[in-house]
């Protein structure tokens, strides 16, 4: 059995310490974290399924700094992108209608 001496008040010096879960979460969101992995299922040397996972966890600002902003152009997630997609669809339909009315429509 090992005896522990509690009389010393000094803690070993180490890198930056997180005080609580909020500090850890703030650091992860500020810096970002990448989690990558592959899941591969083989049966008798025959590849049945391969799933490649790439997960980037960060705040919106950190993701934008990394060049990731797909949510701004996805109509399912952005009202502006949805409105732009609707305007584009309307423009294409108007051009098609104009072409049909003028008799120059492509078949």
């Amino acid at each position: 059995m090992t005896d522990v001496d509690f009389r010393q008040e000094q803690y070993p010096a180490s890198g930056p310490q997180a005080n609580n879960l909020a500090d850890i979460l703030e650091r992860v969101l500020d810096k970002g974290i990448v989690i990558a992995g592959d899941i591969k299922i083989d049966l008798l040397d025959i590849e049945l399924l391969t799933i490649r996972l790439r997960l980037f966890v960060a705040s919106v600002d950190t993701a934008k700094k990394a060049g990731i902003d797909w949510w701004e152009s996805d109509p399912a997630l952005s009202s502006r992108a949805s409105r732009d997609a609707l305007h584009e669809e309307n423009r294409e339909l108007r051009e098609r209608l104009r072409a049909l009315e003028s008799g120059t429509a492509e078949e």
Side-chain angles (χ1 to χ4, degrees):
M1 179 165 229
T2 305
D3 293 331
V4 179
D5 186 6
F6 291 103
R7 292 178 292 173
Q8 295 180 349
E9 296 288 330
Q10 295 179 340
Y11 295 103
S14 63
Q17 295 183 354
N19 294 331
N20 55 32
L21 184 59
D23 291 339
I24 294 171
L25 182 60
E26 182 179 339
R27 185 173 299 163
V28 166
L29 293 177
D30 184 47
K31 301 293 182 186
I33 185 170
V34 175
I35 300 169
D38 295 335
I39 299 171
K40 191 173 185 180
I41 299 173
D42 292 345
L43 179 63
L44 301 174
D45 292 333
I46 299 171
E47 183 176 327
L48 297 177
L49 176 68
T50 299
I51 300 172
R52 303 185 77 195
L53 300 171
R54 304 295 180 261
L55 180 64
F56 179 63
V57 179
S59 68
V60 170
D61 292 336
T62 303
K64 283 184 175 181
K65 288 177 188 173
I68 301 170
D69 60 354
W70 53 264
W71 60 87
E72 291 181 349
S73 60
D74 188 342
L77 299 174
S78 168
S79 61
R80 182 174 30 162
S82 177
R83 192 173 38 245
D84 291 346
L86 183 61
H87 286 299
E88 178 65 20
E89 183 180 1
N90 284 340
R91 187 189 61 75
E92 290 174 3
L93 288 173
R94 284 187 185 112
E95 286 180 8
R96 191 169 174 195
L97 179 62
R98 195 173 308 129
L100 286 171
E101 288 176 347
S102 68
T104 60
E106 297 177 17
E107 290 293 326

